[in-house]
Amino acid sequence: MYWRSADQDGDGSVPRVSPLPAVAPQLPPTPDLFDPEELRELSGYARLAELLKQAHCALRGMDLDLPERADFVRRLLVITAASRHDQDDAMRRLQRFLRSVQEKRRLSP
């Protein structure tokens, strides 16, 4: 591969072409991006996000009358907002919500 040097004198002449170095310069080692506690927390958020996505899809696919749908939507929005502040509380609420969705589906004709 070749690279061109910039026209530094501004005379419009064609810049010289020179080969790139064969080996890239070594960068100093970087510390791990996340410690084990941070990884555990991030994986918890990923699990919570996946469950929230499933809950939204399940709710979208349910055939509910308007007041009942509004109640489920309100509950899910509260859980989604809580997930930004308290992951553990949001996970507990979401599990209760998903149980109630499953119960409702089982009781629906």
Side-chain angles (χ1 to χ4, degrees), residues 66-76 97:
L66 190 58
E68 204 168 27
R69 178 172 295 282
D71 181 53
F72 275 108
V73 168
R74 180 192 52 78
R75 288 175 56 193
L76 192 51
F97 177 83

Side-chain angles (χ1 to χ4, degrees), residues 2-9 11-19:
Y2 292 91
W3 60 276
R4 291 181 173 226
S5 60
D7 179 19
Q8 294 184 6
D9 57 7
D11 65 357
S13 62
V14 176
R16 76 175 206 286
V17 177
S18 58

Side-chain angles (χ1 to χ4, degrees), residues 12-55:
S13 62
V14 176
R16 76 175 206 286
V17 177
S18 58
L20 288 174
V23 177
Q26 291 288 7
L27 298 174
T30 58
D32 290 337
L33 293 176
F34 302 105
D35 65 28
E37 177 63 25
E38 288 173 319
L39 285 175
R40 185 193 64 75
E41 186 176 328
L42 289 173
S43 67
Y45 279 116
R47 176 74 179 136
L48 180 60
E50 183 61 33
L51 287 174
L52 280 168
K53 184 178 174 182
Q54 290 175 11

